[in-house]
Amino acid sequence: MRVSDKVAARLKELGAELRQGVPLAEHTSLGIGGTTDEILLRRYETIPEIMRLLADENIPHRFLGGGKRLVVSDGGLAFVVLHLPCSAPGMRVEGNAAYVDAAADLGGTVTFCAKRDLGGMEGLIGVPGSVGGALRMNAGAYGSQIGPHVREVELYRAATGEIETLRGSDIRFDYRHTSFAPDDVMLRVKLELPSKPFKEIVAGIKVCNEKRRGSQPINQKSAGCIFKNPAGSSAGRMIDELGLKGHRVGDAMVSDRHANFFVNVGNASCADMLKLIDGVRERVRTAYGIELENEVIVWRN
Ligand code: EPU
């Protein structure tokens, strides 16, 4: 989608940067996604006004974080994407509190806090993505989850059109799910982390990295686990038991390392990936009577 010259001029006045015709395949870890205009939000305080501008001009939009959990439609996209600058995200520590911009890299945040003797997030070290994405989905791995550490979140709430601060106790963090509205935009978070010597944190991080390297296709283009685990079961184990590792639709393939990761082994299209996802879901439904729910987020046109 292309924004008009009039909207482009207003965005410039508001301090936002417009990048035209951006291929989202370059912004997603799967390497899949069509083309659209991207608006880089350089000043948080202008977000409410930019959102009003987009609403007034009937411009559909989506908010792009780290792009690590997304399956995006092919071709020309019918929406623009909004993006927070992530080159020099704010991070600081005061006592046991860490104040971090949502655009910060999650792994970088774990390391930053570790160097200041704050632990508790060791398992999150290899989870790809931004802090904002981790908050929205309550990212978790190897016994760590971000939710329990959240004390405050500053966010843009589409429901009120304002920037607000929520207390951690007012947010529900469940397994890969939170009470944030789909159109809430994470801006900053205050985390409270337990004190732990750097050396101990690093030892924990090493264990998690080794487990991850041994079981997940970390060097291939993927979007992390495709499906949530059903209560008391493992999506990866079921898909593996069905002999589906290596199963392909075009260049979209069920990883031969971990069956709940689907990888782009060449030039997979969104259509290929969705066909693979739906086909595997169907096979699991038939064999196990379980309907797998997507963990990845699909942006259809
Ligand atoms: N398994 C297989 N074959 C496979 C994959 C797994 O038999 O191809 C078996 C394993 O041997 C194990 C069981 O299934 O007995 C569980 O596997 P694993 O320990 O790899 O954990 P998972 O349930 O597949 C979950 C999270 C991961 C997280 C790991 C480690 C979900 C959907 N997945 O995976 O998170 O990294 O635990 O904590 O919750 C993600 O959410 O994107 C993600 C990668």
Side-chain angles (χ1 to χ4, degrees):
M1 176 171 210
R2 298 296 294 263
V3 304
S4 66
D5 291 348
K6 178 184 142 200
V7 171
R10 185 71 191 119
L11 286 170
K12 200 171 172 193
E13 281 169 14
L14 289 166
E17 186 186 326
L18 178 65
R19 293 178 180 165
Q20 291 180 317
V22 176
L24 289 199
E26 291 175 7
H27 281 292
T28 58
S29 52
L30 259 180
I32 290 176
T35 300
T36 190
D37 284 0
E38 179 186 64
I39 300 167
L40 206 56
L41 302 168
R42 295 213 173 270
R43 289 175 19 222
Y44 289 178
E45 66 276 16
T46 61
I47 293 176
E49 188 147 4
I50 289 173
M51 295 307 216
R52 278 195 291 277
L53 172 68
L54 298 180
D56 291 348
E57 298 290 330
N58 290 316
I59 299 174
H61 56 272
R62 309 272 167 94
F63 218 92
L64 179 69
K68 311 290 187 194
R69 313 311 313 264
L70 283 177
V71 185
V72 181
S73 275
D74 305 311
L77 300 173
F79 49 84
V80 300
V81 293
L82 306 171
H83 200 41
L84 296 173
C86 49
S87 50
M91 278 187 212
R92 77 189 157 84
V93 156
E94 261 175 45
N96 285 75
Y99 298 83
V100 185
D101 282 358
D105 175 68
L106 180 62
T109 302
V110 175
T111 312
F112 178 88
C113 295
K115 285 183 182 159
R116 284 145 189 90
D117 296 318
L118 294 181
M121 298 197 293
E122 290 84 335
L124 296 176
I125 187 73
V127 174
S130 63
V131 167
L135 284 173
R136 166 167 294 290
M137 299 189 75
N138 188 20
Y142 305 114
S144 306
Q145 285 190 34
I146 196 163
H149 302 294
V150 174
R151 293 296 167 269
E152 273 174 18
V153 176
E154 189 184 358
L155 75 176
Y156 167 79
R157 300 213 91 177
T160 60
E162 303 291 342
I163 290 177
E164 296 178 16
T165 300
L166 297 184
R167 281 189 311 218
S169 53
D170 292 332
I171 305 163
R172 266 195 66 187
F173 290 98
D174 299 319
Y175 165 64
R176 303 292 193 272
H177 185 265
T178 60
S179 54
F180 295 114
D183 45 10
D184 284 346
V185 180
M186 310 295 129
L187 300 177
R188 291 188 187 95
V189 64
K190 175 185 176 187
L191 302 168
E192 192 178 308
L193 301 167
S195 301
K196 213 173 182 183
F198 177 62
K199 267 191 172 172
E200 256 179 55
I201 303 174
V202 169
I205 284 176
K206 229 176 131 193
V207 171
C208 295
N209 276 341
E210 273 161 21
K211 280 191 197 161
R212 192 180 291 279
R213 263 198 299 273
S215 64
Q216 298 182 2
I218 52 173
N219 294 319
Q220 283 183 289
K221 290 183 186 170
S222 86
C225 284
I226 290 287
F227 303 110
K228 293 184 185 180
N229 280 336
S233 184
S234 158
R237 188 182 42 74
M238 288 189 282
I239 300 167
D240 192 358
E241 280 172 1
L242 290 169
L244 291 172
K245 277 183 171 170
H247 176 62
R248 285 171 79 141
V249 174
D251 279 341
M253 187 181 96
V254 177
S255 161
D256 41 26
R257 185 166 270 254
H258 191 299
N260 197 11
F261 281 69
F262 295 4
V263 291
N264 175 2
V265 293
N267 287 307
S269 65
C270 180
D272 293 337
M273 190 53 76
L274 293 180
K275 203 167 167 201
L276 184 64
I277 292 172
D278 288 340
V280 169
R281 195 192 330 270
E282 171 81 42
R283 292 284 299 271
V284 170
R285 185 192 305 124
T286 308
Y288 295 91
I290 290 174
E291 183 75 17
L292 291 177
E293 189 190 334
N294 282 1
E295 178 172 325
V296 288
I297 295 159
V298 181
W299 283 0
R300 289 174 209 273
N301 243 341

